[in-house]
Amino acid sequence: VERQGGHPPLSAGLDTDEPTPAAYRPWQAERVSEPLLIVDAANVVGSVPDGWWRDRAAAARRLRDALRPVAGAGLPGLPAPLEVVLVVEGEARGLDSIDAVRVVAAAGSGDDAIVELVRGESRARQLVVVTADRGLAERVRRYGAEVLGPRSIPRRESRAG
């Protein structure tokens, strides 16, 4: 069934494993050519023993702020501009997005939220997930995402205090 103009109906593909085409997601259509960098906040924050466990929300905020320049500068092998998404869970769920970094609060498992983000993306777009979690890495690779480790994210040295 096609709608006027030769386009399939908006519900096309919703009952399958295939993601809805980006053209039907207007909030993303203009960014579909930009690589998407999805960062596993809990895993990346936990990779640096800087006292993050004393204030998990503040640690996630520092990571979010460190990602701001990455959106404009890119990473080695991942040219700018990037769309950057930080997936938070637990105590960090109240963190707000900023101009260069969209924060997604996982309703449950952060890993499940990341897999759903990757699964719902255009296959024509470069997808990169930052995590050291081997299980998550395996899951997102099934949907065509590349995986980088936490050290790929440049961060200022913070004082454990």
Side-chain angles (χ1 to χ4, degrees), residues 61-146:
R61 186 173 46 258
R62 286 191 303 271
L63 175 58
R64 179 204 60 195
D65 295 348
L67 289 168
R68 177 181 280 178
V70 170
L75 293 172
L78 194 59
L82 302 176
E83 179 181 0
V84 179
V85 175
L86 179 65
V87 177
V88 297
E89 58 186 294
E91 293 176 29
R93 280 194 184 108
L95 188 63
D96 292 327
S97 295
I98 56 176
D99 60 336
V101 181
R102 179 168 51 112
V103 176
V104 172
S109 158
D111 289 4
D112 290 346
I114 291 168
V115 171
E116 285 306 308
L117 284 168
V118 169
R119 187 174 163 258
E121 279 300 320
S122 168
R123 306 253 188 223
R125 180 178 201 191
Q126 185 177 9
L127 304 172
V128 178
V129 174
V130 179
T131 188
D133 181 318
R134 290 181 185 152
L136 175 59
E138 183 178 313
R139 290 173 68 192
V140 298
R141 283 184 180 121
R142 287 185 214 144
Y143 293 103
E146 301 166 48

